[in-house]
Amino acid sequence: MPLPDLSTILQLSPEELAPQLLATLKEKWPRPGERISLGYIVSNLDRPVARCVAEAWSALETGGLIAMDPEDNNVYWYFITRRGEAANTDVEVNVALAMASTRRDAWHLALRTTVYTKYVRGDYDAAVLEALALLEAEVKGMTDQQALVGLFAGAVGSSGKSSGVRLVPYDADTCREVLGFASFLLRLADAGKKVAADGGRN
């Protein structure tokens, strides 16, 4: 798949151009592990277009789809990573880019270890179920703030965790949304505990 025409390139965001750039790289360097160069790709392009391609290149690198060649001191040599080789559709490339934009420290501390690891490895079901188990434990430990308890219980129940029936497929986007919501609820729980503790001291 060649890059789109020059006028189209100028209209695309780096994330929109990135899947097409990766497809072009695979077409020009079909052997896994073969070295590639941004300079070669943009050598015949006008500066504005070359810069757009460079932005898409940077997005691919941030998403872990391409990486600098560790066997060469020349910083201009890259290779397509295992993740990049496995991403064969625009959707798969976009998932990788979305994962890269999800900062671990943006989530509640309880979700930053095994839940985050499962998420970035693409094990979305396990990541969601582990996060919901944490929420379920919080619900069991709460004795007041009934509205918050209801919100927690609704989140756990609507996932189908208790019945074993999954109501929504856990793709990357759904997983990220559920984990973000779980993080919000866990922070609410922390705030509630702090208020209760402060009230007990007054």
Side-chain angles (χ1 to χ4, degrees):
M1 174 194 299
L3 287 172
D5 62 81
L6 303 187
S7 61
T8 301
I9 288 177
L10 293 172
Q11 312 263 338
L12 297 176
S13 70
E15 292 74 21
E16 290 172 322
L17 182 56
Q20 297 177 67
L21 176 57
L22 182 62
T24 299
L25 297 178
K26 288 183 177 181
E27 204 170 76
K28 289 182 176 295
W29 289 275
R31 291 182 297 176
E34 191 169 358
R35 298 191 306 177
I36 57 180
S37 167
L38 173 62
Y40 179 84
I41 293 290
V42 302
S43 60
N44 296 318
L45 300 177
D46 293 337
R47 175 175 287 187
V49 176
R51 286 185 169 180
C52 290
V53 174
E55 290 172 355
W57 182 283
S58 180
L60 291 176
E61 184 176 9
T62 299
L65 299 163
I66 61 174
M68 192 180 301
D69 190 339
E71 298 180 358
D72 198 311
N73 293 326
N74 186 335
V75 297
Y76 298 109
W77 287 113
Y78 283 74
F79 67 99
I80 300 174
T81 64
R82 291 171 295 172
R83 180 177 293 174
E85 294 290 354
N88 293 315
T89 67
D90 289 5
V91 171
E92 290 169 342
V93 173
N94 290 330
V95 165
L97 299 181
M99 285 182 179
S101 68
T102 303
R103 293 177 20 245
R104 183 194 299 257
D105 60 2
W107 288 351
H108 185 276
L109 186 62
L111 304 179
R112 295 180 195 173
T113 53
T114 56
V115 172
Y116 183 83
T117 299
K118 289 180 173 65
Y119 167 72
V120 297
R121 289 179 176 174
D123 194 355
Y124 306 129
D125 287 1
V128 167
L129 291 178
E130 184 171 338
L132 292 172
L134 292 170
L135 287 178
E136 194 170 35
E138 288 290 343
V139 171
K140 290 178 180 177
M142 298 175 73
T143 57
D144 53 9
Q145 297 176 295
Q146 292 304 310
L148 187 56
V149 171
L151 186 61
F152 273 56
V156 173
S158 67
S159 72
K161 180 179 183 298
S162 301
S163 65
V165 178
R166 191 178 65 189
L167 302 183
V168 291
Y170 297 137
D171 58 15
D173 289 337
T174 304
C175 179
R176 188 166 57 254
E177 290 172 359
V178 172
L179 296 181
F181 184 54
S183 181
F184 169 70
L185 293 178
L186 288 168
R187 287 194 171 105
L188 283 181
D190 289 346
K193 291 174 187 176
K194 186 176 186 303
V195 169
D198 291 344
R201 287 198 295 268
N202 293 333

